[in-house]
């Protein structure tokens, strides 16, 4: 049942391609969009640093990897699991809580990334 079904504001759903009601539409299903191209890890260099945040908290920061060229969510979850710490991805940087420079360097090397810092 639709939200406004049976009221004056009821607008039955229509197909975006042919304009017919969805119950009458005979259009073939749309093909899924191809996945975005990814740059292999061997062709990327991650720049690592340890920074101090407000309240004296230390954060390991990974820069130099573009979010459009990587699956940042997967990379972040692997780094967090490998370090046993929390973290976040903002724009084109990944932040891991704590002083985790050596662990992050090892994990990125295992995944095939070059590192600096």
């Amino acid at each position: 049942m639709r939200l406004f079904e049976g009221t004056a504001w009821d607008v039955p759903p229509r197909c975006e391609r042919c304009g017919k009601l969805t119950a009458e539409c005979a259009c073939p299903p749309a093909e899924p969009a191809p996945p975005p191209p990814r740059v292999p890890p061997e062709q990327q260099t991650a720049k690592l640093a340890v920074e101090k945040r407000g309240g004296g908290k230390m954060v390991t920061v990974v820069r130099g990897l573009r979010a459009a060229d990587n699956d940042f969510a997967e990379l972040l979850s692997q780094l967090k699991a490998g370090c046993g710490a929390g973290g976040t991805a903002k724009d084109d940087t990944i932040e891991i809580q704590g002083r985790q420079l050596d662990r992050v360097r090892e994990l990125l090397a295992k995944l095939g990334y070059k590192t600096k810092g």
Side-chain angles (χ1 to χ4, degrees):
M1 177 173 216
R2 295 184 312 272
L3 181 63
F4 294 108
E5 188 173 359
T7 67
W9 296 283
D10 183 22
V11 179
R14 296 189 173 271
C15 176
E16 293 178 5
R17 288 186 261 166
C18 66
K20 294 181 181 178
L21 294 174
T22 53
E24 300 169 359
C25 176
C27 295
E31 294 182 19
R38 303 283 186 209
V39 175
E42 298 82 27
Q43 297 178 4
Q44 300 181 62
T45 302
K47 297 173 185 158
L48 307 177
V50 175
E51 297 178 358
K52 193 172 189 178
R53 299 288 187 216
K57 305 286 184 179
M58 301 303 285
V59 176
T60 303
V61 180
V62 180
R63 290 189 179 93
L65 304 176
R66 290 179 7 131
D69 296 339
N70 297 286
D71 185 7
F72 253 32
E74 178 64 26
L75 182 58
L76 175 64
S77 65
Q78 289 177 353
L79 291 176
K80 286 176 14 179
C83 294
T88 185
K90 296 179 181 176
D91 300 323
D92 284 346
T93 62
I94 293 177
E95 297 179 357
I96 303 294
Q97 295 175 351
R99 202 179 277 263
Q100 308 282 349
L101 195 62
D102 294 331
R103 287 184 184 167
V104 170
R105 185 180 294 122
E106 289 175 21
L107 292 168
L108 288 173
K110 284 181 184 177
L111 294 172
Y113 292 94
K114 297 178 216 167
T115 58
K116 285 187 180 180

